[in-house]
């Protein structure tokens, strides 16, 4: 269970967002510039809210009044960014292992094999990110976030940098992820079709404000 | 031995000493260079312009001035020098270790500049990604920042080595020109050219200096190429 209630001045407008998300896939839906990415970065711990509170599974991650601000590296929130952000100097396999190394977890070959199979990336393991296609890169990025054993997955427009064909290639993996991984997902998108297909709940943002929350029927 | 390269034992001593001083100066300044360069690239703090200026000062000051400043700070009867000698038994004046210091100081701006540029060029969003994967500041620096800055670190170390190898003004001012202790290739060449008929012997050392510099340049070029290739995936 994630609960967010934050304010943040962002250039021309002030983001003021309050919502809660439980299991399944919650979509943060809104036009470009509505503050979706800023909101995601605040949940991840990469951007500091001006006021408010963020809590996950009963643990306070941020509370301005109590002066609590858990750093990003202690939050255990997996992120998949629009541009993938794979580490260029590490092979795909080492990119996937990175979160496990940093979390000091022992190797878990079964979990590794499962994620590699889920995302169909076994033939890429020895390659460098520079040699991957856009769709392959995003799949590896999703695998990397999954293998850190996150308490929450944040997907920030993971398909936005791909063409229609590549999107179609990745969407089934995301559906499997939503149905098989027992991690709650926050999915940021400005694409209604994507959201209809993936989300179980929708939070609509407009100019930094939550204007509606509910099921996917909000989009019809 | 070829007639072209006929070095006396004293020449060889100068060559070996130059290499030792340049290598040690590079290795000793490298960690400080990386630390300062990262600090300047990443943090804003009070007095940063001053720190910046002081670090680059040896680049613009006449080397003799830098050497003289070192002498009046670290000389045996100078405040810092006397303190070090009395409490730690460390004497650097007129020793090869003093030459390491003067070469290190002269090379430092070049080292810092090269590393700073490469740290500034790193996509910080990669470090953010590493943080979300659980990398604290230290491991983030070691596993992401350092490897990504490696080409710049190699280039900086190379520049520093070359500067240290060729250093003359500050070194001769600070630690003088003592054969076997502080007489580097440059100082030996200078000495030979001051002696009637020493030109031929000086030429021998000049050839050695050219060879060492060429070798170092090619080695660094090769290393930087490999590091860049590794970064961009081969």
């Amino acid at each position: 269970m994630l609960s967010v209630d934050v304010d943040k001045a962002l250039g021309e407008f002030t983001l003021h967002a309050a919502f809660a998300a439980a299991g399944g896939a919650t979509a943060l839906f809104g036009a470009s510039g509505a503050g979706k990415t800023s909101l995601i970065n605040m949940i991840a711990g990469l951007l500091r809210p001006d006021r408010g509170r963020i809590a996950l599974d009963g643990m306070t991650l941020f509370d301005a009044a109590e002066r609590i601000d858990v750093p990003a590296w202690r939050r255990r929130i997996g992120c998949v960014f629009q541009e993938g952000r794979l580490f260029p100097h590490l092979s795909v396999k080492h990119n996937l292992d990175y979160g496990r190394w940093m979390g000091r977890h022992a190797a878990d070959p079964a979990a590794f094999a499962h994620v590699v199979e889920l995302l169909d990336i076994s033939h890429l393991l020895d390659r460098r990110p520079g040699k991957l296609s856009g769709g392959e890169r995003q799949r590896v990025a999703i695998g990397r976030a999954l293998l850190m054993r996150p308490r929450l997955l944040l997907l920030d427009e993971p398909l936005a940098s791909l063409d229609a064909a590549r999107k179609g290639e990745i969407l089934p993996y995301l559906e499997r992820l939503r149905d098989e991984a027992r991690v709650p997902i926050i999915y940021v998108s400005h694409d209604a079709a994507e959201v209809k297909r993936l989300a179980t709940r929708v939070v609509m943002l407009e100019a930094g404000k939550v204007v509606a929350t509910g099921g996917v029927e909000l989009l019809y | 031995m070829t007639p072209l390269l006929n070095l006396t034992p004293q020449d060889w001593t100068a060559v070996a000493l130059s290499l030792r001083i340049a290598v040690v100066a590079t290795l000793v300044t490298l960690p400080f260079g990386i630390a300062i360069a990262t600090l300047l690239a990443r943090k804003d703090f009070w007095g940063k312009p001053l720190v910046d200026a002081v670090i680059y000062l040896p680049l613009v000051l006449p080397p003799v001035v830098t050497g003289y400043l070192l002498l009046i700070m670290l000389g045996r009867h100078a405040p810092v020098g006397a303190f070090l000698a009395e409490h730690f038994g460390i004497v650097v004046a007129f020793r090869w270790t003093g030459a390491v210091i003067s070469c290190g100081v002269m090379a430092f701006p070049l080292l810092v500049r090269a590393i700073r540029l490469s740290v500034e060029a790193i996509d910080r969003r990669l470090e953010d990604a590493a943080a979300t994967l659980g990398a604290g500041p230290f491991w983030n620096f070691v596993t992401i920042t350092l490897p990504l800055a490696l080409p710049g670190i190699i280039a900086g170390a190379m520049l520093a080595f070359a500067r240290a190898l060729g250093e003359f003004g500050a070194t001769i001012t600070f630690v003088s020109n003592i054969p076997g202790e502080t007489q580097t290739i440059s100082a030996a060449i200078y000495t030979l050219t001051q002696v009637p008929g020493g030109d031929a012997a000086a030429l021998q050392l000049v050839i050695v200096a050219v060879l060492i510099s060429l070798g170092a340049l090619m080695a660094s070029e090769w290393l930087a190429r490999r590091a860049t290739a590794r970064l961009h995936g081969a």
Side-chain angles (χ1 to χ4, degrees):
Chain A
M1 172 79 181
L2 171 77
S3 71
V4 177
D5 182 358
V6 288
D7 291 359
K8 173 86 184 167
L10 293 170
E12 62 268 43
F13 65 85
T14 298
L15 178 85
H16 173 78
F19 70 94
T26 304
L28 291 183
F29 178 75
S32 300
K36 304 186 299 290
T37 295
S38 304
L39 194 51
I40 281 284
N41 283 338
M42 285 190 269
I43 298 169
L46 299 174
L47 183 69
R48 204 189 155 89
D50 296 334
R51 274 178 302 281
R53 186 167 187 278
I54 300 171
L56 177 63
D57 298 333
M59 178 188 171
T60 305
L61 297 179
F62 178 85
D63 192 321
E66 303 259 344
R67 292 178 181 277
I68 295 171
D69 187 7
V70 178
W73 56 282
R74 288 212 177 106
R75 291 193 181 189
R76 265 188 54 216
I77 294 177
C79 295
V80 178
F81 303 95
Q82 205 178 113
E83 343 77 73
R85 300 195 200 177
L86 298 181
F87 305 130
H89 58 301
L90 301 178
S91 67
V92 165
K93 181 169 193 313
H94 289 169
N95 265 281
L96 292 171
D97 274 334
Y98 191 85
R100 179 171 66 75
W101 290 336
M102 291 303 134
R104 308 277 190 284
H105 303 303
D108 185 346
F112 190 87
H114 177 72
V115 168
V116 165
E117 187 266 330
L118 177 80
L119 297 164
D120 197 9
I121 49 178
S122 59
H123 58 297
L124 307 174
L125 293 180
D126 293 326
R127 291 205 219 160
R128 293 297 183 107
K131 303 275 180 195
L132 303 182
S133 71
E136 289 169 339
R137 213 170 292 160
Q138 286 311 77
R139 263 144 64 198
V140 174
I142 293 166
R144 183 176 70 172
L146 271 180
L147 282 168
M148 69 171 287
R149 297 200 218 155
R151 298 186 291 180
L152 174 72
L153 261 184
L154 303 176
L155 308 179
D156 185 9
E157 306 244 16
L159 306 182
S161 61
L162 307 177
D163 58 44
R166 301 296 122 203
K167 277 184 195 176
E169 178 196 308
I170 302 227
L171 272 167
Y173 294 110
L174 291 176
E175 285 176 321
R176 283 183 73 181
L177 186 65
R178 175 197 62 199
D179 299 334
E180 291 180 22
R182 267 173 242 109
V183 189
I185 295 171
I186 306 281
Y187 188 91
V188 167
S189 181
H190 64 268
D191 182 330
E194 249 174 71
V195 170
K196 279 179 202 163
R197 199 166 152 184
L198 284 174
T200 45
R201 258 175 64 80
V202 177
V203 175
M204 279 178 95
L205 279 176
E206 214 176 284
K209 307 261 183 304
V210 175
V211 290
T213 44
V216 278
E217 66 277 359
L218 279 176
L219 301 175
Y220 288 93
Chain B
M1 208 171 266
T2 63
L4 189 65
L5 210 58
N6 188 11
L7 298 178
T8 64
Q10 193 178 339
D11 291 342
W12 280 117
T13 308
V15 171
L17 193 60
S18 283
L19 284 175
R20 174 160 60 158
I21 290 169
V23 167
V24 173
T26 306
L27 292 180
V28 168
T29 48
L30 197 54
F32 296 101
I34 292 172
I36 297 273
T38 311
L39 195 71
L40 289 174
R42 287 296 165 76
K43 300 273 186 255
D44 278 312
F45 50 91
W46 190 87
K48 182 172 168 178
L50 185 67
V51 173
D52 225 356
V54 168
I55 285 167
Y56 289 118
L57 208 52
L59 211 55
V60 287
L61 279 179
V64 179
V65 173
T66 305
Y68 188 73
L69 287 173
L70 285 172
L71 190 62
I72 60 174
M73 278 192 301
L74 293 170
R76 216 175 286 232
H77 302 292
V80 182
F83 176 82
L84 286 177
E86 199 174 310
H87 295 277
F88 300 100
I90 299 170
V91 178
V92 292
F94 305 110
R95 301 273 174 87
W96 75 276
T97 45
V100 167
I101 292 177
S102 60
C103 289
V105 167
M106 293 301 289
F108 201 62
L110 298 171
L111 184 67
V112 168
R113 191 172 163 69
I115 299 175
R116 180 180 179 173
L117 286 175
S118 72
V119 171
E120 279 171 349
I122 292 174
D123 185 350
R124 302 204 60 178
R125 294 174 309 174
L126 290 174
E127 294 167 354
D128 280 349
T132 65
L133 288 161
F138 175 77
W139 287 111
N140 205 323
F141 180 74
V142 170
T143 61
I144 306 296
T145 317
L146 267 189
L148 291 177
L150 195 60
I153 294 172
I154 292 171
M158 170 59 206
L159 281 170
F161 176 79
R163 187 78 191 82
L165 199 64
E167 219 301 303
F168 177 70
T171 306
I172 207 166
T173 311
F174 180 37
V175 294
S176 183
N177 183 0
I178 307 161
E181 186 65 44
T182 62
Q183 190 178 70
T184 59
I185 296 180
S186 312
I189 293 172
Y190 170 75
T191 307
L192 286 168
T193 58
Q194 301 303 301
V195 182
D199 297 359
L203 184 63
Q204 304 279 317
L205 280 172
V206 167
I207 293 169
V208 174
V210 170
L211 289 178
I212 292 175
S213 307
L214 262 180
L217 261 178
M218 283 160 65
S220 88
E221 193 64 24
W222 181 76
L223 276 174
R225 228 173 256 250
R226 273 196 50 163
T228 311
R230 268 185 68 86
L231 277 191
H232 298 296

